[in-house]
Amino acid sequence: MDLGIRGRRALVCAGSKGLGRGCAEALAAAGVDLVLNARGAGALAATAAAIRAAHGVAVTEAAADITTDTGRRAVLEAAGAVDILVTNAGGPPPGLWSDWGRDDFIRALDANMLSPIALMTALLPGMAERGWGRVVNITSQSVKAPIPELGLSNAARSGLTGFVAGTARQVAPRGVTINNLLPGIHATDRADALDSGVARARGISLEAARLARAATIPARRYGTPAEFGAMCAFLCSVHAGFIVGQNILLDGGAINSTF
C-alpha cells in the first residue's frame, strides 16, 4: 500500500533502537525524510547510516535528551517544520508504591507526559497552519490496564492520554490527527530490563522469565519493532485521516477487554 507520505518530514524521538527505530524504519520505507533523535550519539549515528543506506531518505541526527528543556530546544531547532511527530521516551523504573516520592513522580511526568506535550505544543501550530499533520505518541498498554509494578508509568502515561483526548478533537478540523500507540511486550531493551528484574527476583534464567511472560500473551510471543512500526506508519499515512484521538493496543491480545 502506498501510504501517500513520500517526501514528508518526520521527527522520531528515541529512534535509535527499539520501538522508536521500528517507527523510523517504517516511515523511511514509505519515503519520509527523518529527524532522528536519541540520547546516545554513537547508536544514533549507526541507525541513521543504516536507514539512509536502506531507504535513500535524508536523515538528520539530533543527539539530545528529549526529556529536558535544553534537549528539546536543540531537537526542535534541528527539526524545523515537520509534518509528522512520533513521541517516545523510556519508561520509568518498576517498583512498589511505597518506594516512590515526589521527585520520582516528577521525573516520570517530565519524561512520559510533559515532554510529549511540550513537543506537541511546539509543532502542532505549524501543522495546523499548513493544513496537514500526524502525531503518534508511544505510550503503554498500562493506559488500558494498569500494571501494578509500573505505577510511575501508569500515572504519567494516563495523564498524557487525557491531554490527547481533548487536544486531538481541537486540531482535527485543521487536518491534523493525534493518536496513541499502546505497546504490550515487544522484543526490545525495555523488555529485557523488565524480564531481568523478574529473573533476579525469582532466581530463574532470563530465558525462563521470557518464556513465562510470553505464555501469558495469547499470541504466545513478543511483538517485534517492525510490526509496531508498520502500525505507526499507517497512522501517519493519508489513509488515517479519520482516526482521531484513539488508543490503539499492540499487545498480542494480552489485555482481555471487550472495548
Side-chain angles (χ1 to χ4, degrees):
M1 177 186 292
D2 182 358
L3 298 184
I5 50 178
R6 182 170 300 277
R8 296 285 188 181
R9 181 173 170 88
L11 168 58
V12 180
C13 300
S16 65
K17 56 186 177 180
L19 299 183
R21 178 167 181 170
C23 293
E25 294 270 9
L27 288 169
V32 175
D33 294 325
L34 301 176
V35 179
L36 200 60
N37 158 254
R39 284 181 294 181
L44 179 62
T47 297
I51 290 175
R52 290 188 197 104
H55 305 292
V57 298
V59 183
T60 300
E61 299 165 34
D65 184 350
I66 202 69
T67 69
T68 68
D69 289 339
T70 301
R72 277 193 302 279
R73 282 195 296 270
V75 172
L76 288 168
E77 183 176 351
V82 298
D83 307 295
I84 295 167
L85 167 65
V86 179
T87 76
N88 184 28
L96 297 174
W97 62 270
S98 53
D99 295 334
W100 303 314
R102 174 180 170 80
D103 289 347
D104 299 301
F105 280 99
I106 294 299
R107 282 191 291 269
L109 290 170
D110 276 339
N112 299 125
M113 175 183 167
L114 297 178
S115 290
I117 290 174
L119 290 168
M120 284 185 274
T121 300
L123 295 174
L124 284 174
M127 294 180 185
E129 182 178 349
R130 294 187 296 273
W132 197 92
R134 299 286 187 265
V135 178
V136 175
N137 299 295
I138 299 176
T139 63
S140 170
Q141 66 178 358
S142 66
V143 170
K144 289 280 190 181
I147 300 170
E149 63 271 21
L150 296 182
L152 295 173
S153 178
N154 297 340
R157 298 188 194 276
S158 294
L160 174 62
T161 303
F163 174 85
V164 167
T167 305
R169 274 80 183 177
Q170 296 177 60
V171 299
R174 306 293 298 275
V176 180
T177 69
I178 311 175
N179 294 287
N180 303 319
L181 283 181
L182 283 54
I185 297 297
H186 285 68
T188 65
D189 289 349
R190 171 71 165 169
D192 286 345
L194 294 174
D195 288 341
S196 294
V198 170
R200 287 192 299 270
R202 296 183 183 176
I204 60 177
S205 68
L206 176 59
E207 183 60 26
R210 286 180 182 140
L211 290 172
R213 191 187 296 270
T216 69
I217 303 170
R220 295 296 188 268
R221 64 176 179 86
Y222 288 8
T224 69
E227 289 173 311
F228 190 88
M231 176 57 76
C232 178
F234 177 77
L235 287 176
C236 296
S237 76
V238 298
H239 310 294
F242 209 54
I243 303 175
V244 174
Q246 298 304 301
N247 295 286
I248 299 174
L249 276 168
L250 290 91
D251 69 343
I255 292 179
N256 188 2
S257 174
T258 303
F259 297 103

